[in-house]
Amino acid sequence: DNDNDNDNKKGKHPFANFSWGNIHSLKTVPEANGVNVMEKLRQFYDQYYYAQNMSLVVIGAYTLDELERQVLKCFQIVPSLPRYNHNQNKDDQTSSSLAIQRNNANTWDVSIQNDPIANLGMPFSTSSLAKIYRVIPVKERHNLTITWQVPPQKENWKSKPCDYLAHF
């Protein structure tokens, strides 16, 4: 990502969010605007860090009982659902409406019932496509970034066609 990419992404799409930072963007600016960065990070963690948003693969030269014991030891504290929806009152501990609900979890037939990003559409607006941006660098550096906007590939998870693009 670079600044030109961020300027051209649709405003409400998650890709439009700032994806990196420094002391100025993560401390000075938030403090000046009354934003508690640690609280925002905690809210994100509470809302999205839960077992139904994760997959775990365990491989080891140990007995199944030993592997299970180690997995339970390390991961039993991970909640199965979001801790709470920060758009609601903190006293209301119901799961978030943005929670991704999976059927047949932990099987090859897993299906996602509520995928909040699916309804957002493509991240770049049509007017920002098919353009070349020439940027005068601050440092002696040559860099070429090519970005493809590809429709969601959730249905193609077995064949992974985007893996071919990733190798270019």
Side-chain angles (χ1 to χ4, degrees), residues 126-166:
T126 306
S127 64
S128 70
L129 299 176
K131 297 197 178 201
I132 296 177
Y133 296 94
R134 297 188 196 310
V135 180
I136 299 171
V138 177
K139 297 180 180 178
E140 181 66 30
R141 183 175 178 192
H142 300 282
N143 192 23
L144 172 66
T145 301
I146 301 174
T147 303
W148 283 279
Q149 179 163 266
V150 179
Q153 297 295 306
K154 183 173 71 173
E155 300 301 320
N156 300 321
W157 68 272
K158 286 184 180 179
S159 61
K160 297 178 177 41
C162 287
D163 283 5
Y164 292 104
L165 290 176

Side-chain angles (χ1 to χ4, degrees), residues 1-165:
D1 277 341
N2 62 42
D3 291 333
N4 288 326
D5 283 347
N6 286 335
D7 291 341
N8 292 309
K9 291 176 186 163
K10 291 182 184 174
K12 294 192 184 236
H13 199 283
F15 285 12
N17 293 336
F18 190 65
S19 59
W20 60 88
N22 56 36
I23 193 73
H24 179 72
S25 66
L26 295 173
K27 184 176 185 333
T28 308
V29 172
E31 285 177 356
N33 291 302
V35 175
N36 183 334
V37 174
M38 285 305 296
E39 176 61 25
K40 292 291 185 186
L41 288 171
R42 175 55 63 185
Q43 287 175 358
F44 182 87
Y45 175 85
D46 287 347
Q47 191 167 354
Y48 296 106
Y49 187 83
Y50 59 94
Q52 284 195 6
N53 264 355
M54 302 175 188
S55 297
L56 176 67
V57 175
V58 179
I59 300 172
Y62 300 96
T63 66
L64 185 57
D65 290 338
E66 175 62 19
L67 290 173
E68 181 179 18
R69 193 165 48 76
Q70 290 299 322
V71 166
L72 287 172
K73 176 183 167 188
C74 296
F75 296 99
Q76 68 184 355
I77 63 170
V78 176
S80 60
L81 292 172
R83 288 153 189 86
Y84 64 89
N85 182 347
H86 284 271
N87 295 326
Q88 299 174 352
N89 184 337
K90 282 189 177 186
D91 296 331
D92 181 6
Q93 297 289 319
T94 59
S95 65
S96 168
S97 63
L98 291 177
I100 295 175
Q101 301 297 320
R102 291 180 169 88
N103 290 337
N104 300 321
N106 304 320
T107 71
W108 288 107
D109 298 321
V110 66
S111 65
I112 297 174
Q113 294 303 310
N114 181 16
D115 186 1
I117 201 167
N119 299 326
L120 295 173
M122 301 299 273
F124 293 99
S125 64
T126 306
S127 64
S128 70
L129 299 176
K131 297 197 178 201
I132 296 177
Y133 296 94
R134 297 188 196 310
V135 180
I136 299 171
V138 177
K139 297 180 180 178
E140 181 66 30
R141 183 175 178 192
H142 300 282
N143 192 23
L144 172 66
T145 301
I146 301 174
T147 303
W148 283 279
Q149 179 163 266
V150 179
Q153 297 295 306
K154 183 173 71 173
E155 300 301 320
N156 300 321
W157 68 272
K158 286 184 180 179
S159 61
K160 297 178 177 41
C162 287
D163 283 5
Y164 292 104
L165 290 176

